[in-house]
Amino acid sequence: MANSIADFNEFRQDLNEEILGCGHLGVKRFFALDHQAYEPGGLDTKTKELLGLVASMVLRCDDCITYHVIRCGAVGWKRAEVIDAFNVALIVGGSITIPHVRRAFARMREIPALAPREKK
Amino acid sequence: MANSIADFNEFRQDLNEEILGCGHLGVKRFFALDHQAYEPGGLDTKTKELLGLVASMVLRCDDCITYHVIRCGAVGWKRAEVIDAFNVALIVGGSITIPHVRRAFARMREIPALAPREKK
Amino acid sequence: MANSIADFNEFRQDLNEEILGCGHLGVKRFFALDHQAYEPGGLDTKTKELLGLVASMVLRCDDCITYHVIRCGAVGWKRAEVIDAFNVALIVGGSITIPHVRRAFARMREIPALAPREKK
Amino acid sequence: MANSIADFNEFRQDLNEEILGCGHLGVKRFFALDHQAYEPGGLDTKTKELLGLVASMVLRCDDCITYHVIRCGAVGWKRAEVIDAFNVALIVGGSITIPHVRRAFARMREIPALAPREKK
Amino acid sequence: MANSIADFNEFRQDLNEEILGCGHLGVKRFFALDHQAYEPGGLDTKTKELLGLVASMVLRCDDCITYHVIRCGAVGWKRAEVIDAFNVALIVGGSITIPHVRRAFARMREIPALAPREKK
Amino acid sequence: MANSIADFNEFRQDLNEEILGCGHLGVKRFFALDHQAYEPGGLDTKTKELLGLVASMVLRCDDCITYHVIRCGAVGWKRAEVIDAFNVALIVGGSITIPHVRRAFARMREIPALAPREKK
């Protein structure tokens, strides 16, 4: 896992640029489709970001969790709501998800909207 | 996959009774915790059922999908909303989820609130 | 698993039509992108179908395996080549893939180009 | 899932013969290595069969679970011990394993050494 | 992966405290249930820790493996026994587990009861 | 993920030696079988390395991806071909594979045969 959200974002942006510029149309279209999946449709963006977060948690992908935790904070989810979503993921995915829940809590410390009241 | 929702429910109820009556306290507590995870908390039940559905889809468990599709219909999600949630799962989980999406669409035919207008 | 390739194809076509006609543009685009991923590009279709088969095997999706086994026969892979691809999947994915390898061998009995010489 | 242990065994034996006779040395060697992994070594066979069962449960493979449940009964594990192993798998793997736990309980009904006292 | 068991334990304890103190009853109960799953029941703690280790290995979670390797050493499993359990996981889970087996061997170097005789 | 291919190779070689020297015959045989799976058979080594790469990508194992990317470069696959294989993996495995695709692109920067023309 990246040391900080800043490091995560830097690596992500650097490589995304290389991938999108590599000349493969299918990859480029998939990245666009991935982006569009969270735009308002049958569901609003806020709901979809929470769906993306829970999907990332049960599939146990730290980078995906980091990305969606940031997004969930940005679209207005509160700490208690995100934690309740983590609980659904924890029950569905089991104790094997616990290390990812820990790292997600660590990430939330870096996000003002989701950080605990008294930062540890 | 069970032939119908009725068959699914019958097998599920029969075995759940045997499991809950088998005398293992840990298993019984986990089943209770699983039930409680979808009760109102930081998030309402409606949102949580959709989270459970998407988690089940990316983890590719047909029985779990059947259960949560039924629940999503019961708590008021509309067909277009459920399909938009499937799209998030499809993008996160990839084409390997397509057979499960197909079976989920087949299940929705059995659920009046989620069935297509003109049944094919 | 469907009883036969005919049953598999019938269910697949029936539901694909419903999914593609359900009005969700994102889902429709993903299905198109999935189709295009196996068209000639950096690699030819024949190679890509084998990649799709091995990916389906290690991810343990019987319907995906059935689909790609049929496709592999159609694009010219021979029985010994497909079996050698299964071996890579078996070593990468472990004994948990064995039931899927068994069902893939059962499917090959239905495909003339991939069936064993003396059918058992 | 096969309708009965008898059906499971028949399909398994039929296909295993075809696979072992297909002429691929690597596949044949892997099947042998898989068999040997449960023979006495650092651990005894009884312990290893339980490890195989829990691994199959968290990886959610019904056929593998059926095979190892049969084996666990054969090597002397009692119903309460197998259920306690299921509980570990359930906690590690989460509610997504519940449908597999249900089917494992259904399978135990067919195995005298593991069946419930009073069949429900 | 954490650089050392000491680092792993420090991060784990720090975040577990935050999670258990976050006010979500469901999460707290799941953590308790996870702890209880390894207490004596149908099976003894020693057997259950080995089950937890193999489950963690086939699900490929380094933190979970680290935790259970430490526990296995603490409850009295010997190096040759743990390695034999790894072999079951390796055969069930395939070569995709090899990087985790490597990291598990590296972790055993830090645990006197499980370290190789002559440390490399 | 290791900081560089040199670090990856050093750790891999160090631990592989310890594992192969640990005295467990089953583990040793599995490592041999894993090696043999990529030797010429029904398919040539070049094709099999690409199968191994795609299998590693959809199973989301960074170390396995690093290993097979190195091997793919060594056996003669070109950058555009490897990227086209990544696209198959991305479509099959979904957006959850994107962080691994990013790290695979970062790894290719270290491999002359697969690096972008103008290194970023």
Side-chain angles (χ1 to χ4, degrees):
Chain A
M1 193 165 77
N3 288 325
S4 66
I5 288 181
D7 283 1
F8 165 78
N9 280 332
E10 189 188 332
F11 180 79
R12 180 175 175 272
Q13 187 173 334
D14 176 18
L15 270 302
N16 276 9
E17 268 177 37
E18 185 169 315
I19 293 170
L20 293 174
C22 81
H24 194 293
L25 193 59
V27 171
K28 202 169 177 173
R29 281 183 180 151
F30 183 77
F31 271 64
L33 215 47
D34 177 29
H35 179 78
Q36 291 159 20
Y38 300 92
E39 291 183 342
L43 301 165
D44 56 30
T45 293
K46 196 178 169 185
T47 303
K48 289 180 178 194
E49 286 295 346
L50 207 64
L51 296 177
L53 179 58
V54 167
S56 301
M57 185 63 86
V58 298
L59 289 175
R60 301 160 40 210
C61 171
D62 285 325
D63 275 14
C64 310
I65 294 168
T66 290
Y67 176 78
H68 285 292
V69 164
I70 297 168
R71 290 287 304 144
C72 281
V75 299
W77 289 108
K78 302 299 172 213
R79 181 175 171 84
E81 296 166 330
V82 168
I83 290 174
D84 207 21
F86 286 161
N87 183 55
V88 172
L90 183 62
I91 294 300
V92 173
S95 71
I96 206 81
T97 66
I98 287 179
H100 303 274
V101 171
R102 278 200 285 263
R103 288 190 282 266
F105 267 81
R107 276 290 180 250
M108 289 200 291
R109 291 174 177 177
E110 294 181 68
I111 304 169
L114 299 177
R117 292 293 162 84
E118 296 174 51
K119 204 159 183 174
K120 293 189 182 190
Chain B
M1 193 166 77
N3 289 324
S4 66
I5 287 181
D7 283 1
F8 166 78
N9 279 332
E10 188 188 333
F11 180 79
R12 181 176 175 271
Q13 186 173 334
D14 175 18
L15 269 303
N16 275 10
E17 269 177 37
E18 184 168 317
I19 293 170
L20 293 174
C22 81
H24 194 293
L25 194 58
V27 171
K28 202 169 177 174
R29 281 183 180 151
F30 182 77
F31 271 64
L33 215 46
D34 177 29
H35 179 79
Q36 292 159 19
Y38 299 92
E39 291 183 341
L43 300 166
D44 56 30
T45 293
K46 195 177 169 185
T47 303
K48 290 181 178 195
E49 286 295 345
L50 207 64
L51 296 177
L53 178 60
V54 166
S56 301
M57 184 63 86
V58 297
L59 289 175
R60 300 159 42 209
C61 172
D62 285 325
D63 275 14
C64 310
I65 293 168
T66 291
Y67 176 78
H68 285 292
V69 164
I70 296 168
R71 289 289 304 144
C72 281
V75 299
W77 289 108
K78 302 298 173 213
R79 181 174 171 85
E81 295 165 331
V82 168
I83 290 174
D84 207 20
F86 286 162
N87 184 54
V88 172
L90 183 62
I91 294 301
V92 172
S95 70
I96 206 79
T97 66
I98 288 180
H100 304 274
V101 172
R102 276 199 286 264
R103 287 190 283 266
F105 268 79
R107 277 290 180 250
M108 288 199 292
R109 291 174 177 176
E110 295 181 67
I111 304 169
L114 299 177
R117 290 293 161 85
E118 297 173 51
K119 203 157 184 176
K120 295 189 180 188
Chain C
M1 195 166 74
N3 288 323
S4 66
I5 288 182
D7 282 2
F8 166 78
N9 280 332
E10 188 188 333
F11 180 80
R12 181 176 175 272
Q13 186 173 334
D14 175 19
L15 269 303
N16 275 11
E17 269 176 37
E18 185 169 317
I19 293 171
L20 294 174
C22 81
H24 195 292
L25 193 58
V27 171
K28 203 170 177 173
R29 281 184 179 150
F30 182 77
F31 271 64
L33 216 46
D34 177 30
H35 179 78
Q36 291 160 19
Y38 300 92
E39 292 182 342
L43 300 166
D44 56 31
T45 292
K46 196 178 168 184
T47 302
K48 290 182 178 193
E49 286 295 346
L50 206 65
L51 296 177
L53 178 60
V54 166
S56 301
M57 184 64 85
V58 298
L59 289 175
R60 300 160 42 210
C61 171
D62 285 324
D63 275 14
C64 310
I65 294 168
T66 291
Y67 175 79
H68 285 292
V69 164
I70 297 168
R71 290 289 303 143
C72 281
V75 299
W77 289 108
K78 302 299 173 213
R79 181 173 171 85
E81 296 165 330
V82 168
I83 290 174
D84 207 21
F86 286 162
N87 184 54
V88 172
L90 183 62
I91 294 300
V92 173
S95 70
I96 206 80
T97 65
I98 288 180
H100 303 274
V101 171
R102 276 199 285 264
R103 288 190 283 266
F105 268 80
R107 277 289 180 251
M108 288 199 292
R109 291 175 177 176
E110 295 181 67
I111 304 169
L114 299 176
R117 290 294 162 84
E118 296 174 51
K119 203 158 183 173
K120 296 191 179 186
Chain D
M1 195 166 75
N3 288 324
S4 66
I5 288 181
D7 282 2
F8 166 77
N9 280 332
E10 187 188 334
F11 180 79
R12 181 176 175 270
Q13 187 173 333
D14 176 18
L15 269 304
N16 275 11
E17 268 176 38
E18 184 168 318
I19 293 171
L20 293 174
C22 82
H24 194 292
L25 193 58
V27 171
K28 202 169 176 173
R29 280 184 180 151
F30 182 77
F31 271 64
L33 215 47
D34 177 29
H35 179 78
Q36 291 159 18
Y38 299 92
E39 291 183 342
L43 300 166
D44 57 31
T45 293
K46 196 177 169 186
T47 303
K48 290 181 177 193
E49 286 295 346
L50 207 65
L51 297 176
L53 178 60
V54 166
S56 301
M57 185 63 86
V58 297
L59 289 175
R60 299 159 44 210
C61 172
D62 285 323
D63 275 14
C64 310
I65 294 168
T66 290
Y67 176 79
H68 285 291
V69 164
I70 297 168
R71 291 287 305 143
C72 281
V75 299
W77 288 109
K78 302 298 173 213
R79 181 173 171 85
E81 296 165 330
V82 168
I83 290 174
D84 207 20
F86 286 161
N87 184 54
V88 172
L90 183 62
I91 294 300
V92 172
S95 70
I96 206 80
T97 65
I98 288 180
H100 304 274
V101 172
R102 276 199 286 264
R103 288 190 283 265
F105 268 79
R107 277 288 180 252
M108 289 199 291
R109 292 175 177 176
E110 295 181 67
I111 304 169
L114 299 176
R117 291 293 163 85
E118 298 173 50
K119 202 158 183 175
K120 294 189 181 189
Chain E
M1 192 165 77
N3 288 325
S4 66
I5 288 180
D7 282 2
F8 166 78
N9 280 332
E10 188 189 333
F11 181 79
R12 180 175 175 273
Q13 186 173 334
D14 176 18
L15 269 303
N16 276 10
E17 268 177 36
E18 185 169 316
I19 293 171
L20 293 174
C22 82
H24 195 292
L25 193 58
V27 171
K28 203 170 176 173
R29 281 184 180 151
F30 183 76
F31 271 64
L33 215 47
D34 177 29
H35 180 77
Q36 292 159 19
Y38 300 91
E39 291 183 342
L43 300 166
D44 57 29
T45 292
K46 195 176 169 186
T47 302
K48 290 182 177 194
E49 286 296 345
L50 206 65
L51 296 177
L53 178 60
V54 167
S56 301
M57 184 63 86
V58 297
L59 289 175
R60 300 159 43 208
C61 172
D62 285 325
D63 276 14
C64 310
I65 294 168
T66 291
Y67 175 78
H68 285 291
V69 164
I70 296 169
R71 290 286 306 143
C72 281
V75 299
W77 289 108
K78 301 299 172 213
R79 182 174 170 85
E81 296 166 329
V82 168
I83 290 174
D84 207 21
F86 285 162
N87 184 54
V88 172
L90 183 62
I91 294 300
V92 173
S95 70
I96 206 80
T97 65
I98 288 179
H100 303 275
V101 171
R102 277 199 285 265
R103 289 190 282 266
F105 267 81
R107 276 291 180 251
M108 289 198 292
R109 291 175 178 177
E110 294 181 68
I111 304 169
L114 299 177
R117 291 293 161 85
E118 296 174 52
K119 204 158 183 176
K120 295 192 180 188
Chain F
M1 194 165 75
N3 289 325
S4 66
I5 287 181
D7 283 2
F8 166 78
N9 280 332
E10 189 188 332
F11 180 78
R12 180 175 175 273
Q13 187 173 334
D14 176 18
L15 269 303
N16 276 9
E17 269 176 37
E18 185 169 315
I19 293 170
L20 293 174
C22 82
H24 195 292
L25 194 58
V27 171
K28 203 170 178 173
R29 280 183 180 152
F30 183 77
F31 271 64
L33 215 47
D34 177 29
H35 179 77
Q36 291 159 20
Y38 300 92
E39 291 183 342
L43 301 166
D44 57 30
T45 292
K46 196 176 169 186
T47 303
K48 289 181 179 193
E49 287 295 345
L50 207 64
L51 296 177
L53 178 60
V54 166
S56 301
M57 184 62 85
V58 297
L59 289 176
R60 300 159 43 209
C61 171
D62 285 324
D63 276 14
C64 310
I65 294 168
T66 291
Y67 176 78
H68 285 292
V69 164
I70 297 169
R71 290 287 305 143
C72 281
V75 299
W77 289 107
K78 301 299 171 212
R79 181 174 170 85
E81 295 166 330
V82 168
I83 290 174
D84 206 21
F86 286 162
N87 184 55
V88 172
L90 183 62
I91 294 300
V92 173
S95 70
I96 207 79
T97 65
I98 288 179
H100 303 274
V101 171
R102 278 198 285 265
R103 289 191 281 266
F105 268 81
R107 277 289 181 251
M108 289 199 291
R109 291 175 177 176
E110 295 181 68
I111 304 169
L114 299 176
R117 291 294 161 83
E118 296 173 51
K119 203 158 182 176
K120 295 190 178 189

